[in-house]
Amino acid sequence: MTSFLTLLRKEILRFWKVGFQTVAAPVLTAMLYLLIFSHVLEDHVRVYDTLPYASFLVPGLVMMSVLQNAFANSSSSLIQAKVMGSIVFILLPPISPFSLFSAYILSSTVRGFAVGVGVLAVTMFFTPLGFTHPAWILVFILLGGAMMGALGILAGLWADKFDQLAAFQNFIIMPLTFLSGVFYSIHSLPAFWQGVSHYNPVFYMIDGFRYGFFGVSDVSPWQSLAVVSVCFLFVAAFALSLLKRGYKLRA
Amino acid sequence: MIPAISIRQVTKRYGDLQALAGVDLEINQGEFFGLLGPNGAGKTTLISALAGLVRPDGGSLEVMGHDVHKDYRAARRLLGVVPQELVFDPFFTVREVLRFQAGYFGIRRCDDWIDEILANLDLTAKADSGMRSLSGGMKRRVLVAQALVHRPPVIVLDEPTAGVDVELRQTLWQFIRRLNEEGNTIVLTTHYLEEAEALCGRIAMLKGGRVVSLDSTENLLRKFSAQALRLRLGEGPGLPEALAQVSVQKDKYWSIPFQTYGQIESLLAQVRMAGCVIEDMAVNQPDLEEVFVRVMQQAREGGAS
C-alpha cells in the first residue's frame, strides 16, 4: 500500500510542480475556445432550443480539457521515464503491476479533474450554467479522466519516442475529442455522421456530462454511463495486462 | 548459509547476440565480489536479470534464496542496484527522490537513514537541490543513495565510478567498504582494474556471456601475474640470450620475471656481464590488468566466442 501511495503522490506532484504548464495552460486554451467560438457561432447555432450556445459549449470544453489532460498525464509520464531511463526507479522496487496501474490512472484522473474544475471556474464568469444533476457531472468527469488515463498508459507503454506519442495524440485522441459533439449537438449532423458519432466513446462522455448540467442530452445518461464504463474496463484490462507482461518495460 | 546471490545456467539472447550463454555463479553473504569483463561481455545483462529488468530465456537467479521471478517482492527488497546509466528524475529534489524511492519499497519515515546516507556520500549540502541542477558526479552519488535507501543486504554497483572524480571515488569506496564490513554483500563491476584489485576478495571474469575465470583476487594475481624487473637498455649490446628467452619486450622495455627479490641481484649481474647499459629500471608488482589480458587471451584461444 505504501508503495502505491508513494507512486500516486509522486505522479500528482510531478504535474503539480509544473502546474502552470499542466493545469493553467489548458484552462487558458479552453477559455480562448469559448471566447472565439461563442463569439462567432452564437447567432448561427441553436441547440436544445432554449440554451445559449456559449452555455452549451462550456461542458464540452470542460470535458475535452479533462480528457486531453488525463491522457497527457499518464502517457507523458511514462514516455519521459522511458526515454530518460528513470523508469528503473519504479521497476527495481517490488511495486505490483496493479499498484503501478492504479497510481497512473488515479493521478491522471486527478489532473483531469483539476483542469476540468479550473476551466469550469473560469468559464462561469462568461456564461450562466445550470448544475441540474451534479452526481452525473462528477461521475463523467471521473470516469472520463480514468478512461483517458488508461489509454495514456497504453500509448506511453507502446511509444518508444516522443514523436510516436505525438502521433497517437494527433491522429487518435484529437479527432476522437473534436468529433464528439464538443462544439455542436450531433443532431445537427447529417444522418450518416450522426451514426458514426455513436461509435465514438468520447461522444458519450461529453453527452452524459452535459446532461448533468442541463438535464437534456442526445442519448440517455444511463446509456452513456454503460458505454463509457465498458470502454474503460476494456482499455483498463488491456493496460493492466501489458503492465503485468512488462511490455516494453522489462526486456 | 544461503548464498547472497545464486545464478544457475542463465541464458539470454537478443536476436543474433547471445548476451548470456549459461552463466553459473554463486556469491556468498558478506563477500566483496568483482565482476569484470570487456564491453559487451554480459555484465550489465546479468545484473539486469538479477534485478528483474531483463527476463532470462533460461536458468534461474536467486537473491538470498528468493527467486527473482517467482518471489520478486522479497528478492527485490533484498537487492539494491546502482545502474550504470546516469539516470535521474528531473522534477524533484534529492531528498524527495530518496523519500519516494524508500516509499516504493514500502518504507515510510526514514529520514534518519536518508540523512546518514547523504552525509556519507557528501550530499548533505545538496539535499534540497533539484536533480536537474546537479553535476554528473553528484547525480551519480544520488543514484548510489537511491540504491541504499531500503537498506538492502545485497548491493550491486554497475560501474559506479565511470567518469567520476577522484574525490567521489574515495568517499564512495569508504562508504561501500563500511557497508561491507557491516555484513552487506557487495557486487561490483568496474573498468578500473586497480579498484577491483584493491576492493574485491573474489573476481569473476565474463566474456561472450560466459564466466571464463572465477577465483580469489589473490590467486588470480599469483597464477597469472608475476613480479617483473623492467629495464630500458641504452646503446650497446642487447639483453643476453638466456634472459631474453624468458622475458617480454614491450615498447622499449624488457620485462624479466622473478619470484623473490633475492633473484634481482643475479639478474642484474647477468645484464652487467653482457655489457648492457641500463637507462631506466623499475620493479613491477603483479597487477590485475595483466591477469585480465591473459584470461581474455586464454578465453579467445580456448574457443569461447
Side-chain angles (χ1 to χ4, degrees):
Chain A
M1 199 61 185
T2 304
S3 61
F4 160 72
L5 289 174
T6 308
L7 186 58
L8 177 62
R9 200 178 124 75
K10 188 217 116 186
E11 282 299 309
I12 289 175
L13 276 174
R14 191 194 70 91
F15 75 78
W16 197 248
K17 283 200 168 194
V18 283
F20 202 67
Q21 172 202 335
T22 54
V23 179
V27 170
L28 178 67
T29 309
M31 202 179 75
L32 292 174
Y33 273 125
L34 177 71
L35 290 178
I36 290 165
F37 278 88
S38 62
H39 171 73
V40 173
L41 297 176
E42 185 67 65
D43 301 324
H44 303 278
V45 182
R46 276 267 138 239
V47 274
Y48 304 135
D49 299 330
T50 53
L51 212 53
Y53 176 69
S55 299
F56 170 84
L57 183 58
V58 165
L61 284 177
V62 172
M63 197 50 162
M64 188 176 83
S65 312
V66 170
L67 301 179
Q68 286 179 348
N69 282 281
F71 176 83
N73 199 64
S74 51
S75 62
S76 66
S77 178
L78 277 168
I79 190 89
Q80 256 169 12
K82 275 165 63 179
V83 170
M84 305 267 302
S86 56
I87 192 92
V88 294
F89 300 134
I90 58 166
L91 295 179
L92 290 172
I95 308 177
S96 72
F98 189 72
S99 294
L100 277 180
F101 168 82
S102 320
Y104 277 100
I105 298 256
L106 266 175
S107 57
S108 297
T109 312
V110 170
R111 163 134 162 229
F113 188 80
V115 173
V117 169
V119 174
L120 208 52
V122 171
T123 48
M124 271 164 59
F125 286 106
F126 296 89
T127 183
L129 277 179
F131 289 88
T132 318
H133 304 291
W136 281 115
I137 296 178
L138 197 63
V139 163
F140 280 100
I141 206 171
L142 295 179
L143 200 54
M147 154 91 188
M148 284 314 211
L151 204 57
I153 296 180
L154 286 186
L157 288 175
W158 165 77
D160 300 312
K161 293 177 285 184
F162 285 105
D163 47 334
Q164 287 174 325
L165 186 63
F168 198 99
Q169 207 150 12
N170 291 326
F171 290 94
I172 298 177
I173 303 301
M174 285 296 271
L176 279 182
T177 46
F178 269 79
L179 302 177
S180 60
V182 173
F183 300 105
Y184 50 81
S185 162
I186 63 158
H187 285 305
S188 61
L189 293 176
F192 172 76
W193 288 107
Q194 263 192 50
V196 170
S197 296
H198 280 102
Y199 289 97
N200 180 356
V202 180
F203 159 73
Y204 296 94
M205 294 178 196
I206 288 177
D207 200 58
F209 189 58
R210 201 170 265 143
Y211 178 84
F213 288 90
F214 309 122
V216 279
S217 54
D218 290 336
V219 301
S220 146
W222 290 102
Q223 188 190 341
S224 295
L225 179 64
V227 172
V228 178
S229 302
V230 168
C231 283
F232 169 70
L233 288 177
F234 180 76
V235 177
F238 191 31
L240 187 57
S241 79
L242 290 189
L243 284 171
K244 276 188 176 149
R245 270 169 45 202
Y247 172 75
K248 292 203 180 178
L249 291 179
R250 302 181 195 273
Chain B
M1 197 161 57
I2 306 162
I5 292 174
S6 159
I7 298 169
R8 279 186 292 270
Q9 278 304 307
V10 169
T11 56
K12 178 70 184 177
R13 175 180 279 280
Y14 295 109
D16 284 340
L17 178 76
Q18 189 76 49
L20 297 174
V23 173
D24 283 291
L25 204 55
E26 204 161 273
I27 299 169
N28 298 319
Q29 288 184 39
E31 272 198 89
F32 205 129
F33 192 90
L35 202 54
L36 305 185
N39 287 324
K43 305 183 296 284
T44 297
T45 307
L46 190 62
I47 288 172
S48 300
L50 196 64
L53 298 174
V54 158
R55 283 169 302 195
D57 300 330
S60 68
L61 303 103
E62 286 174 7
V63 180
M64 306 286 274
H66 298 276
D67 188 282
V68 300
H69 183 64
K70 284 177 220 136
D71 195 4
Y72 76 93
R73 283 170 191 273
R76 287 190 206 162
R77 206 164 279 135
L78 295 164
L79 184 70
V81 178
V82 182
Q84 191 183 126
E85 301 284 332
L86 198 55
V87 294
F88 64 99
D89 195 331
F91 294 97
F92 301 104
T93 67
V94 173
R95 185 177 292 280
E96 283 172 321
V97 158
L98 295 178
R99 280 186 184 153
F100 287 143
Q101 205 61 29
Y104 297 157
F105 283 93
I107 299 163
R108 275 186 286 187
R109 284 184 280 281
C110 58
D111 277 296
D112 290 349
W113 174 236
I114 288 179
D115 285 334
E116 196 180 332
I117 301 177
L118 290 175
N120 275 296
L121 289 168
D122 252 342
L123 271 172
T124 308
K126 297 282 178 188
D128 298 312
S129 305
M131 286 301 297
R132 221 191 285 264
S133 69
L134 298 187
S135 67
M138 288 292 174
K139 284 182 187 134
R140 178 73 67 187
R141 295 179 204 210
V142 178
L143 270 185
V144 176
Q146 277 177 280
L148 299 177
V149 84
H150 60 293
R151 297 175 182 264
V154 183
I155 301 159
V156 179
L157 303 109
D158 195 359
E159 289 187 32
T161 47
V164 149
D165 58 63
V166 180
E167 197 191 343
L168 167 59
R169 273 196 244 170
Q170 298 293 339
T171 352
L172 179 63
W173 292 134
Q174 210 178 351
F175 187 31
I176 298 294
R177 254 198 186 122
R178 202 193 91 195
L179 291 170
N180 182 238
E181 279 157 16
E182 287 167 3
N184 296 289
T185 311
I186 314 286
V187 179
L188 163 72
T189 81
T190 178
H191 272 303
Y192 298 100
L193 294 169
E194 67 270 29
E195 261 175 19
E197 193 177 328
L199 294 162
C200 299
R202 237 165 30 116
I203 289 176
M205 292 193 188
L206 244 65
K207 185 163 197 269
R210 281 194 180 81
V211 177
V212 290
S213 145
L214 171 65
D215 211 335
S216 71
T217 313
E218 211 174 288
N219 280 347
L220 275 175
L221 290 172
R222 201 180 310 136
K223 249 196 286 186
F224 288 98
S225 172
Q227 303 176 95
L229 186 65
R230 274 162 57 85
L231 292 180
R232 192 176 75 207
L233 300 181
E235 297 283 318
L239 205 65
E241 190 59 23
L243 281 183
Q245 272 176 359
V246 294
S247 306
V248 186
Q249 193 177 22
K250 200 182 159 196
D251 302 326
K252 283 177 180 161
Y253 283 88
W254 283 98
S255 210
I256 311 164
F258 66 89
Q259 304 298 322
T260 62
Y261 277 86
Q263 293 173 308
I264 291 183
E265 196 173 359
S266 86
L267 289 175
L268 285 175
Q270 288 179 61
V271 172
R272 189 182 58 232
M273 304 272 275
C276 304
V277 182
I278 297 175
E279 273 190 343
D280 191 13
M281 184 177 86
V283 173
N284 251 20
Q285 292 303 317
D287 91 86
L288 201 54
E289 188 159 338
E290 198 185 333
V291 175
F292 184 74
V293 171
R294 293 245 199 126
V295 170
M296 290 303 136
Q297 262 167 7
Q298 281 190 352
R300 198 162 41 231
E301 283 154 16
S305 60

